């Protein structure tokens, strides 16, 4: 990455600045939130451009399992689930967040979630299915939608196909480094290219979809001290730019201590090991061969605790769990990579993992967990990781960014990881799939509202948008 891409994100407040091009709606960030926002603005007949720092848009969305929760969808109804409601959905999220999600924002997200999925499927042919089987823990109905492959890369590929079909320009290799403002009003953005050249794009409304701050170690240390120095498993290009621009413009931030973590990421292979193995009887042990937590507390809740144990933490399972997990591609890949050690007895496994033999034997002998682990045993070295930050710019139910006094900034919208989350105030409040729920639903709302606002403004050169301006 060129040094320039790390420049301090800031504001240029100079009425003399001219633009190479002006479009009604500009979106910063080409992940799920940005692409959905662009589709939404486009469907309101607004010309829209997406700016993405990477050569290929991927974001944390491509690293995810592509699972999106939503209620009241046609896919749910087709599966016979007709009693899921925004109120029930909000109650589930609020229960996990300890009642600390903003109730108005949460209500708007839950109410908009089903519409968003139905619209993506019917208007943009997104290939989504309702996930089979029992709901994820904490969800009182099955409401998880995903690509048939459960792959975030496939979700991104499908969104990019839809955006391309709609004729929306996604400009890649385009890192926005400065917002160009007049007071609180955003006039446009400055883009820096890999060769250090700059371009300026004017806008009627700006949507910040550049996600959170997990890729910025300084901000992680400031806002999430328990996760400072931990492995960051999200998109490294998410450096907190939205928060820094918003703060410079006078916007408030909320829930900055909130995050989605994971206490079982295979290391150094960087692949999540399903928490279902620990819920199904597996245990975590530290370098002293001892258990250090109650695994039933959950993956995100224990991320920081696992990090505190240092670099020698093992997820211990038995043949029943091991053989059952082999049908999952990620686990099978770990097996192929040699990440899974095995031992016919506790002593053998302790030797294979260089754990103190006596202590580890005692840990297994004392184990009172149901179902009990039985020899032969297997172990995967794991670490705690930060997946996604959940705090960000304060927004209202129209995805408008807010000042500390609750007044909306004139033309600045935010969604997904860039905006305040609905996952409480720390690492314990994340209900599975809150991330993409916020990204796609707020993306749709932000695109709709930004298009509405920009259509009322004189946008000098929407007709001059040069469609060859892409890479
Ligand atoms: C391993 C893993 C698994 C996950 N699984 C799930 C799941 O199954 N379900 C779920 O709901 N959530 C999941 N999440 C969380 C989910 O991926 C995120 O909440 C979601 O993808 C955020 O979407 P976004 O569009 O806000 O951000 P991203 O998808 O991260 O997109 C942000 C984009 O902005 C670009 N950008 C940043 N700064 C700039 C700039 N200055 N100029 C231009 N571009 C910029 C970035 O390059 C990036 O492409 C998972 C996360 C991880 C890490």
């Amino acid at each position: 990455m060129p040094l320039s891409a790390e420049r301090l994100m800031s504001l240029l407040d100079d009425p003399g600045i001219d633009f190479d091009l002006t479009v009604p709606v500009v979106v910063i960030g080409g992940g799920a939130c940005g692409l959905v926002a662009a589709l939404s603005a486009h469907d309101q007949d607004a010309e829209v451009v997406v700016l993405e720092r990477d050569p290929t848009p991927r974001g944390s969305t491509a690293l995810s399992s592509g699972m999106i929760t939503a209620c009241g969808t046609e896919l749910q109804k087709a599966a016979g689930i007709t009693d899921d409601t925004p109120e029930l959905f909000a109650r589930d999220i609020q229960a996990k967040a300890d009642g600390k999600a903003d109730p108005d924002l949460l209500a708007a997200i839950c109410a908009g979630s089903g519409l968003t999925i139905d619209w993506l499927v019917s208007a943009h042919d997104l290939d989504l299915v309702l996930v089979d089987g029992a709901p994820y823990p904490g969800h009182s109905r099955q409401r998880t939608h995903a690509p048939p492959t459960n792959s975030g890369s496939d979700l991104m590929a499908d969104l990019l196909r839809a955006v391309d079909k709609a004729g929306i320009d996604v400009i890649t290799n385009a890192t926005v480094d400065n917002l160009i403002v007049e007071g609180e009003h955003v006039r446009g953005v400055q883009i820096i290219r890999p060769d250090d050249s700059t371009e300026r794009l004017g806008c009627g409304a700006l949507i910040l979809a550049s996600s959170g701050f997990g890729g910025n170690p300084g901000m992680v240390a400031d806002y999430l001290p328990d996760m400072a120095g931990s492995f960051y498993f999200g998109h490294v290009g998410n450096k907190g730019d939205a928060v820094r621009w918003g703060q410079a413009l006078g916007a408030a931030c909320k829930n900055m201590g909130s995050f989605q973590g994971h206490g079982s990421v295979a290391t150094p292979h960087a692949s999540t090991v399903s928490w279902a193995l620990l819920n199904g009887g597996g245990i975590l042990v530290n370098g002293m061969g001892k258990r250090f937590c109650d695994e039933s507390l959950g993956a995100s809740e224990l991320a920081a605790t696992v990090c505190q144990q240092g670099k020698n933490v093992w997820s211990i399972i038995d043949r029943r769990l091991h053989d059952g997990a082999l049908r999952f591609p990620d686990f099978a890949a770990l097996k192929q990579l040699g990440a899974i050690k095995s031992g016919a007895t506790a002593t053998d496994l302790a030797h294979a993992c260089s754990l103190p033999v006596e202590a580890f034997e005692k840990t297994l002998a004392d184990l009172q967990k149901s179902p009990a682990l039985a020899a032969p045993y297997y172990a995967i070295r794991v670490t705690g990781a930060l997946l996604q930050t959940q705090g960000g710019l304060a927004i209202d139910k129209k995805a408008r960014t807010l000042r500390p006094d609750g007044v909306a900034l004139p033309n600045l919208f935010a969604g997904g990881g860039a905006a305040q989350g609905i996952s409480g105030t720390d690492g314990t409040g994340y209900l599975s799939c809150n991330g993409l729920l916020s990204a796609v639903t707020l993306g749709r709302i932000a695109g709709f509202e930004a298009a509405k606002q920009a259509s009322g403004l004189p946008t000098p050169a929407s007709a001059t948008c040069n469609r060859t301006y892409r890479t």
Side-chain angles (χ1 to χ4, degrees):
M1 170 170 311
L3 198 58
S4 48
E6 300 285 2
R7 273 183 197 172
L8 185 65
M9 302 291 137
S10 194
L11 307 179
L12 301 175
D13 191 344
D14 175 358
I17 291 176
D18 284 333
F19 296 103
D20 300 305
L21 177 75
T22 294
V23 287
V25 179
V26 168
V27 179
I28 305 178
C33 181
L35 297 182
V36 171
L39 288 170
S40 175
H42 169 270
D43 284 6
Q44 297 306 307
D45 293 328
E47 188 142 22
V48 52
V49 167
V50 180
L51 302 172
E52 167 55 49
R53 64 184 295 151
D54 290 344
T56 305
R58 288 181 57 76
S60 287
T61 305
L63 298 168
S64 77
S65 311
M67 297 195 175
I68 313 167
T69 40
C71 68
T73 65
E74 294 300 325
L75 286 163
Q76 279 183 311
K77 287 175 199 153
I81 302 165
T82 54
D83 60 350
D84 199 7
T85 62
E87 293 72 27
L88 185 59
F89 192 9
R91 214 176 307 145
D92 290 345
I93 290 174
Q94 209 57 291
K96 189 73 171 81
D98 198 22
K100 291 178 181 150
D102 178 303
D104 292 339
L105 181 62
L106 181 60
I109 289 175
C110 292
S113 64
L115 293 171
T116 303
I117 294 294
D118 287 348
W119 160 72
L120 287 170
V121 170
S122 63
H124 294 289
D125 296 325
L126 241 70
D127 189 10
L128 296 174
V129 296
L130 187 70
V131 169
D132 269 347
Y136 278 78
H139 287 284
S140 48
R141 297 288 181 278
Q142 179 52 280
R143 53 170 78 107
T144 304
H145 304 71
T149 51
N150 287 2
S151 152
S153 289
D154 288 349
L155 175 65
M156 279 301 292
D158 213 6
L159 283 168
L160 285 165
R161 178 208 44 78
V163 160
D164 192 50
K165 190 170 169 210
I168 296 167
D169 285 316
V170 178
I171 305 174
T172 54
N173 286 314
T175 302
V176 177
D177 68 347
N178 285 291
L179 304 195
I180 298 165
V181 302
E182 190 173 346
E184 290 181 340
H185 185 88
V186 180
R187 295 175 56 224
V189 299
Q190 176 170 285
I191 301 161
I192 183 153
R193 298 299 207 156
D195 65 0
D196 261 0
S197 62
T198 57
E199 291 158 32
R200 285 164 178 175
L201 187 61
C203 63
L206 180 66
I207 300 175
L208 299 177
S210 50
S211 204
F213 56 88
N216 183 325
M219 288 178 79
V220 171
D222 285 348
Y223 293 112
L224 310 173
D226 288 351
M227 297 304 287
S230 66
F231 173 55
Y232 173 51
F233 199 9
H235 182 60
V236 291
N238 295 344
K239 295 179 178 295
D241 299 345
V243 162
R244 289 187 284 164
W245 287 316
Q247 285 178 329
L249 255 181
C253 289
K254 280 195 179 157
N255 304 338
M256 292 299 280
S258 173
F259 67 94
Q260 174 196 9
H262 203 293
S264 178
V265 174
T267 181
H269 311 86
S271 171
T272 47
V273 181
S274 170
W275 205 260
L277 296 178
L278 299 170
N279 286 335
I283 56 168
L284 292 169
V285 299
N286 59 20
M288 292 182 289
K290 294 183 177 169
R291 279 178 86 191
F292 55 89
C293 62
D294 170 4
E295 296 83 4
S296 71
L297 289 176
S300 185
E301 288 80 349
L302 288 170
T305 308
V306 172
C307 289
Q308 284 156 14
Q309 301 300 311
K311 294 190 185 308
N312 205 17
V313 178
W314 295 86
S315 175
I316 310 291
I317 55 175
D318 62 6
R319 174 170 283 166
R320 171 182 60 84
L321 292 165
H322 168 272
D323 291 358
L326 279 177
R327 70 193 159 95
F328 297 108
D330 288 1
F331 194 84
L334 285 174
K335 181 83 181 171
Q336 275 211 320
L337 289 168
I340 305 176
K341 312 254 184 213
S342 61
T345 62
T347 315
D348 291 346
L349 191 70
H351 283 303
C353 301
S354 304
L355 290 170
V357 175
E358 258 182 56
F360 183 62
E361 286 174 340
K362 183 167 170 16
T363 296
L364 286 190
D366 290 349
L367 200 57
Q368 292 188 335
K369 216 177 160 181
S370 176
L373 293 179
Y377 301 107
Y378 297 82
I380 307 152
R381 190 198 292 266
V382 295
T383 186
L386 172 63
L387 267 57
Q388 175 78 18
T389 55
Q390 294 290 315
L393 294 171
I395 54 167
D396 65 8
K397 56 190 184 183
K398 292 183 175 179
R400 300 181 300 180
T401 57
L402 300 174
R403 299 191 319 213
D405 61 5
V407 172
L409 290 171
N411 63 342
L412 185 64
F413 298 80
Q420 72 182 84
I422 48 172
S423 304
T425 52
D426 57 22
T428 67
Y430 183 88
L431 185 61
S432 64
C433 306
N434 275 0
L436 283 172
L437 163 67
S438 296
V440 300
T441 307
L442 288 173
R444 176 169 165 275
I445 294 171
F448 179 87
E449 296 293 338
K452 228 169 58 178
Q453 175 165 5
S455 71
L457 296 171
T459 45
S462 85
T464 69
C465 181
N466 174 359
R467 289 210 169 276
T468 61
Y469 186 82
R470 281 183 78 90
T471 55

